[in-house]
């Protein structure tokens, strides 16, 4: 590459490019690959023809990310495929790594919603709403008119607004999950109703496909069907947020629950119940089968 653009100038843009790609693609590994591809293309470019390096790199990373999203769609990959790549499941012990996990990882609930967007919608929303890239630039990346880019971001925005967000201190969110676990163990359904939002959303990811159930009564019905004497459940960290790992008393993993707590109640639960997917995750303390 011409000395006009030394490596140090590209490295100055790398953190932002990686943040952009991570939000678009959902995984740090894919984001780093996209940024590396931008570096390779820059190395082949006539550097003197680039007036705005930051803008040029954003366009290149955007196009690379768009190609990745389209390939995922063509292959039929799901949100769980993507999320599992970077998922961090650990014993729930307070520590400095928690803030890192929360800042760098998307929640599974967010991944499910983003997965439902068209690639152009996802890219337009992330670039404009999260990184203030002008629609004129986005239109070039997605090869659409400016008005079409605005409409794509608007459609995505409406869907993303539905994603539940945690509120309150992390200690309070942990306490809510603890209360849920205690009530479930004791079969105290009145206590469960106090800790479950009446309109809680429950995503169940199974080998037969994903289903969505609404309302606390649906969660209670599932708990009634279970046998608390044959299972054990404990709180874990799921990308820095409290979750629940469920296993048999013999240690065989049955499911992983990612919980969103707001206002002291569980408002969203995503349950991974597919043993093939559980086997892909590094789960603390027990082995899936």
């Amino acid at each position: 590459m011409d000395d006009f653009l030394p490596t140090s100038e590209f490295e100055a843009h790398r953190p932002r490019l990686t943040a952009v790609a991570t939000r678009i693609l959902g995984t740090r590994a894919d984001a780093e690959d996209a940024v590396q591809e931008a570096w390779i293309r820059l190395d082949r470019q006539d550097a003197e023809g680039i007036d705005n390096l930051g803008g040029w790199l954003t366009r290149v990373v955007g196009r690379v990310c768009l190609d990745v999203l389209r390939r995922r769609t063509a292959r039929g990959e799901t949100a769980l495929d993507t999320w599992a790549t970077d998922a961090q499941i650990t014993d729930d012990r307070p520590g400095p790594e928690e803030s890192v996990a929360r800042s760098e990882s998307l929640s599974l609930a967010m991944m499910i919603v983003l997965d439902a967007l068209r690639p152009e919608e996802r890219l337009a929303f992330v670039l404009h709403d999260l990184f203030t890239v002008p629609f004129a630039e986005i239109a070039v990346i997605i090869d659409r008119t400016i008005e079409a880019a605005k409409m794509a971001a608007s459609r995505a925005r409406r869907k993303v607004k539905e994603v539940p967000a945690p509120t309150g201190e992390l200690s309070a969110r942990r306490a809510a999950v603890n209360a849920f676990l205690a009530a479930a163990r004791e079969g105290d359904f009145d206590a469960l109703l106090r800790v479950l939002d009446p309109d809680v959303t429950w995503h169940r990811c199974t080998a037969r496909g994903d289903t969505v159930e609404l309302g606390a009564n649906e969660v209670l019905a599932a708990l009634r069907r279970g046998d608390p004497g044959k299972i054990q459940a404990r709180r874990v960290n799921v990308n820095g947020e409290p979750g629940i790992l469920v296993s048999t008393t013999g240690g065989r993993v049955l499911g992983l629950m990612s919980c969103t707590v707001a206002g002291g109640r569980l408002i969203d639960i995503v349950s991974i119940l597919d043993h093939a997917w559980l086997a892909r995750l590094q789960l603390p303390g027990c082995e899936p089968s």
Side-chain angles (χ1 to χ4, degrees), residues 128-244:
H128 181 266
D129 286 36
L130 303 186
F131 294 96
T132 64
V133 176
F135 280 119
E137 290 290 316
I138 296 170
V140 172
I141 296 171
I142 66 175
D143 194 24
R144 299 287 192 275
T145 65
I146 294 176
E147 189 59 31
K150 290 180 179 179
M151 291 178 63
S154 178
R155 286 193 295 268
R157 193 178 302 120
R158 288 194 297 271
K159 296 177 183 177
V160 169
K161 282 182 179 179
E162 300 173 2
V163 179
T167 65
E169 296 294 330
L170 180 57
S171 58
R173 302 201 291 278
R174 284 193 174 109
V177 174
N178 283 342
F180 174 84
L181 285 172
R185 291 189 190 106
E186 296 168 8
D188 188 341
F189 295 106
D190 288 336
L192 283 167
L193 285 174
R194 288 194 293 271
V195 78
L196 286 170
D197 187 276
D199 299 318
V200 61
T201 303
W202 183 22
H203 300 267
R204 302 174 74 249
C205 305
T206 71
R208 296 180 179 180
D210 300 348
T211 60
V212 180
E213 298 177 354
L214 302 176
N217 288 333
E218 294 297 329
V219 179
L220 293 183
L223 291 173
R224 285 192 176 98
R225 291 192 295 270
D227 185 349
K230 295 182 179 180
I231 64 172
Q232 57 186 9
R234 61 188 175 95
R235 202 186 69 218
V236 292
N237 266 328
V238 182
N239 285 352
E241 288 292 334
I244 299 170

Side-chain angles (χ1 to χ4, degrees), residues 79-119:
L80 193 56
D81 290 303
T82 308
W83 182 82
T85 302
D86 278 357
Q88 299 179 46
I89 318 299
T90 62
D91 288 317
D92 195 1
R93 300 189 183 102
E97 70 280 358
E98 292 172 347
S99 60
V100 175
R102 288 197 301 275
S103 65
E104 293 188 351
S105 304
L106 296 179
S107 71
L108 187 47
M110 174 64 84
M111 287 297 298
I112 289 172
V113 171
L114 290 178
D115 197 47
L117 302 176
R118 293 179 179 177

